[in-house]
PDB file of all heavy atoms in Angstrom:
ATOM      1  N   ILE A 484     -30.888   2.912  15.465  1.00  0.00           N
ATOM      2  CA  ILE A 484     -32.027   1.996  15.908  1.00  0.00           C
ATOM      3  C   ILE A 484     -31.720   1.641  17.388  1.00  0.00           C
ATOM      4  O   ILE A 484     -32.686   1.734  18.186  1.00  0.00           O
ATOM      5  CB  ILE A 484     -32.062   0.755  15.055  1.00  0.00           C
ATOM      6  CG1 ILE A 484     -32.591   1.305  13.669  1.00  0.00           C
ATOM      7  CG2 ILE A 484     -33.091  -0.284  15.664  1.00  0.00           C
ATOM      8  CD1 ILE A 484     -32.545   0.133  12.525  1.00  0.00           C
ATOM      9  N   ARG A 485     -30.450   1.261  17.687  1.00  0.00           N
ATOM     10  CA  ARG A 485     -30.102   0.837  19.035  1.00  0.00           C
ATOM     11  C   ARG A 485     -30.459   1.874  20.085  1.00  0.00           C
ATOM     12  O   ARG A 485     -31.015   1.786  21.096  1.00  0.00           O
ATOM     13  CB  ARG A 485     -28.702   0.392  19.060  1.00  0.00           C
ATOM     14  CG  ARG A 485     -28.323  -0.471  20.179  1.00  0.00           C
ATOM     15  CD  ARG A 485     -26.949  -1.061  19.893  1.00  0.00           C
ATOM     16  NE  ARG A 485     -26.001  -0.829  21.064  1.00  0.00           N
ATOM     17  CZ  ARG A 485     -24.704  -0.756  21.067  1.00  0.00           C
ATOM     18  NH1 ARG A 485     -24.122  -0.903  19.842  1.00  0.00           N
ATOM     19  NH2 ARG A 485     -24.002  -0.536  22.015  1.00  0.00           N
ATOM     20  N   ALA A 486     -29.944   3.181  19.710  1.00  0.00           N
ATOM     21  CA  ALA A 486     -30.102   4.279  20.598  1.00  0.00           C
ATOM     22  C   ALA A 486     -31.651   4.591  20.715  1.00  0.00           C
ATOM     23  O   ALA A 486     -32.103   4.926  21.862  1.00  0.00           O
ATOM     24  CB  ALA A 486     -29.384   5.529  20.060  1.00  0.00           C
ATOM     25  N   ALA A 487     -32.391   4.548  19.621  1.00  0.00           N
ATOM     26  CA  ALA A 487     -33.766   4.799  19.624  1.00  0.00           C
ATOM     27  C   ALA A 487     -34.560   3.870  20.479  1.00  0.00           C
ATOM     28  O   ALA A 487     -35.517   4.149  21.170  1.00  0.00           O
ATOM     29  CB  ALA A 487     -34.333   4.869  18.173  1.00  0.00           C
ATOM     30  N   ARG A 488     -34.030   2.581  20.484  1.00  0.00           N
ATOM     31  CA  ARG A 488     -34.660   1.590  21.359  1.00  0.00           C
ATOM     32  C   ARG A 488     -34.452   1.837  22.812  1.00  0.00           C
ATOM     33  O   ARG A 488     -35.268   1.702  23.704  1.00  0.00           O
ATOM     34  CB  ARG A 488     -34.203   0.199  21.041  1.00  0.00           C
ATOM     35  CG  ARG A 488     -34.868  -0.390  19.644  1.00  0.00           C
ATOM     36  CD  ARG A 488     -34.674  -1.825  19.660  1.00  0.00           C
ATOM     37  NE  ARG A 488     -35.379  -2.513  20.731  1.00  0.00           N
ATOM     38  CZ  ARG A 488     -35.088  -3.846  20.999  1.00  0.00           C
ATOM     39  NH1 ARG A 488     -34.207  -4.544  20.274  1.00  0.00           N
ATOM     40  NH2 ARG A 488     -35.792  -4.409  21.997  1.00  0.00           N
ATOM     41  N   LEU A 489     -33.119   2.249  23.089  1.00  0.00           N
ATOM     42  CA  LEU A 489     -32.771   2.467  24.531  1.00  0.00           C
ATOM     43  C   LEU A 489     -33.439   3.632  25.102  1.00  0.00           C
ATOM     44  O   LEU A 489     -33.802   3.755  26.368  1.00  0.00           O
ATOM     45  CB  LEU A 489     -31.292   2.654  24.583  1.00  0.00           C
ATOM     46  CG  LEU A 489     -30.357   1.477  24.438  1.00  0.00           C
ATOM     47  CD1 LEU A 489     -28.962   1.813  24.304  1.00  0.00           C
ATOM     48  CD2 LEU A 489     -30.609   0.565  25.700  1.00  0.00           C
ATOM     49  N   ARG A 490     -33.733   4.732  24.260  1.00  0.00           N
ATOM     50  CA  ARG A 490     -34.510   5.964  24.855  1.00  0.00           C
ATOM     51  C   ARG A 490     -35.865   5.685  24.732  1.00  0.00           C
ATOM     52  O   ARG A 490     -36.617   5.999  23.839  1.00  0.00           O
ATOM     53  CB  ARG A 490     -34.097   7.197  24.029  1.00  0.00           C
ATOM     54  CG  ARG A 490     -34.623   8.467  24.670  1.00  0.00           C
ATOM     55  CD  ARG A 490     -34.143   9.711  24.005  1.00  0.00           C
ATOM     56  NE  ARG A 490     -32.729  10.099  24.310  1.00  0.00           N
ATOM     57  CZ  ARG A 490     -32.320  10.554  25.449  1.00  0.00           C
ATOM     58  NH1 ARG A 490     -33.317  10.824  26.442  1.00  0.00           N
ATOM     59  NH2 ARG A 490     -31.128  10.848  25.743  1.00  0.00           N
ATOM     60  N   LYS A 491     -36.416   5.321  25.978  1.00  0.00           N
ATOM     61  CA  LYS A 491     -37.797   4.969  26.072  1.00  0.00           C
ATOM     62  C   LYS A 491     -38.614   6.195  26.595  1.00  0.00           C
ATOM     63  O   LYS A 491     -39.290   6.165  27.596  1.00  0.00           O
ATOM     64  CB  LYS A 491     -38.104   3.769  26.985  1.00  0.00           C
ATOM     65  CG  LYS A 491     -37.543   2.469  26.367  1.00  0.00           C
ATOM     66  CD  LYS A 491     -38.009   1.238  27.041  1.00  0.00           C
ATOM     67  CE  LYS A 491     -37.215  -0.032  26.592  1.00  0.00           C
ATOM     68  NZ  LYS A 491     -37.023  -0.180  25.175  1.00  0.00           N
ATOM     69  N   ASN A 492     -38.449   7.189  25.830  1.00  0.00           N
ATOM     70  CA  ASN A 492     -39.180   8.540  26.097  1.00  0.00           C
ATOM     71  C   ASN A 492     -39.074   9.319  24.866  1.00  0.00           C
ATOM     72  O   ASN A 492     -38.326   8.960  24.006  1.00  0.00           O
ATOM     73  CB  ASN A 492     -38.627   9.228  27.434  1.00  0.00           C
ATOM     74  CG  ASN A 492     -37.158   9.379  27.391  1.00  0.00           C
ATOM     75  OD1 ASN A 492     -36.643   9.830  26.458  1.00  0.00           O
ATOM     76  ND2 ASN A 492     -36.518   8.907  28.389  1.00  0.00           N
ATOM     77  N   SER A 493     -39.768  10.536  24.891  1.00  0.00           N
ATOM     78  CA  SER A 493     -39.744  11.354  23.816  1.00  0.00           C
ATOM     79  C   SER A 493     -39.130  12.737  24.152  1.00  0.00           C
ATOM     80  O   SER A 493     -39.527  13.412  25.035  1.00  0.00           O
ATOM     81  CB  SER A 493     -41.131  11.626  23.119  1.00  0.00           C
ATOM     82  OG  SER A 493     -41.579  10.370  22.586  1.00  0.00           O
ATOM     83  N   VAL A 494     -38.070  13.050  23.474  1.00  0.00           N
ATOM     84  CA  VAL A 494     -37.327  14.418  23.681  1.00  0.00           C
ATOM     85  C   VAL A 494     -37.043  14.975  22.383  1.00  0.00           C
ATOM     86  O   VAL A 494     -36.409  14.309  21.579  1.00  0.00           O
ATOM     87  CB  VAL A 494     -36.142  14.129  24.624  1.00  0.00           C
ATOM     88  CG1 VAL A 494     -35.547  15.520  25.115  1.00  0.00           C
ATOM     89  CG2 VAL A 494     -36.185  13.199  25.675  1.00  0.00           C
ATOM     90  N   GLY A 495     -37.168  16.331  22.202  1.00  0.00           N
ATOM     91  CA  GLY A 495     -36.745  16.929  20.964  1.00  0.00           C
ATOM     92  C   GLY A 495     -37.186  16.198  19.736  1.00  0.00           C
ATOM     93  O   GLY A 495     -38.322  15.885  19.578  1.00  0.00           O
ATOM     94  N   ALA A 496     -36.167  15.926  18.866  1.00  0.00           N
ATOM     95  CA  ALA A 496     -36.480  15.260  17.612  1.00  0.00           C
ATOM     96  C   ALA A 496     -36.765  13.757  17.739  1.00  0.00           C
ATOM     97  O   ALA A 496     -37.235  13.174  16.719  1.00  0.00           O
ATOM     98  CB  ALA A 496     -35.372  15.536  16.620  1.00  0.00           C
ATOM     99  N   HIS A 497     -36.531  13.159  18.847  1.00  0.00           N
ATOM    100  CA  HIS A 497     -36.767  11.714  19.012  1.00  0.00           C
ATOM    101  C   HIS A 497     -38.216  11.523  19.584  1.00  0.00           C
ATOM    102  O   HIS A 497     -38.389  11.948  20.753  1.00  0.00           O
ATOM    103  CB  HIS A 497     -35.687  11.189  19.977  1.00  0.00           C
ATOM    104  CG  HIS A 497     -36.075   9.797  20.488  1.00  0.00           C
ATOM    105  ND1 HIS A 497     -35.779   8.693  19.586  1.00  0.00           N
ATOM    106  CD2 HIS A 497     -36.479   9.334  21.695  1.00  0.00           C
ATOM    107  CE1 HIS A 497     -36.142   7.615  20.270  1.00  0.00           C
ATOM    108  NE2 HIS A 497     -36.613   7.976  21.466  1.00  0.00           N
ATOM    109  N   PHE A 498     -39.011  10.962  18.759  1.00  0.00           N
ATOM    110  CA  PHE A 498     -40.435  10.786  19.253  1.00  0.00           C
ATOM    111  C   PHE A 498     -40.734   9.334  19.179  1.00  0.00           C
ATOM    112  O   PHE A 498     -40.841   8.746  18.126  1.00  0.00           O
ATOM    113  CB  PHE A 498     -41.380  11.630  18.423  1.00  0.00           C
ATOM    114  CG  PHE A 498     -42.711  11.749  19.128  1.00  0.00           C
ATOM    115  CD1 PHE A 498     -42.902  12.806  20.010  1.00  0.00           C
ATOM    116  CD2 PHE A 498     -43.692  10.711  18.875  1.00  0.00           C
ATOM    117  CE1 PHE A 498     -44.119  12.843  20.678  1.00  0.00           C
ATOM    118  CE2 PHE A 498     -45.031  10.942  19.470  1.00  0.00           C
ATOM    119  CZ  PHE A 498     -45.229  11.893  20.422  1.00  0.00           C
TER     120      PHE A 498
END
Side-chain angles (χ1 to χ4, degrees):
I484 292 167
R485 200 168 127 206
R488 282 197 66 195
L489 283 171
R490 185 174 284 287
K491 294 193 192 311
N492 48 52
S493 293
V494 192
H497 169 77
F498 194 89

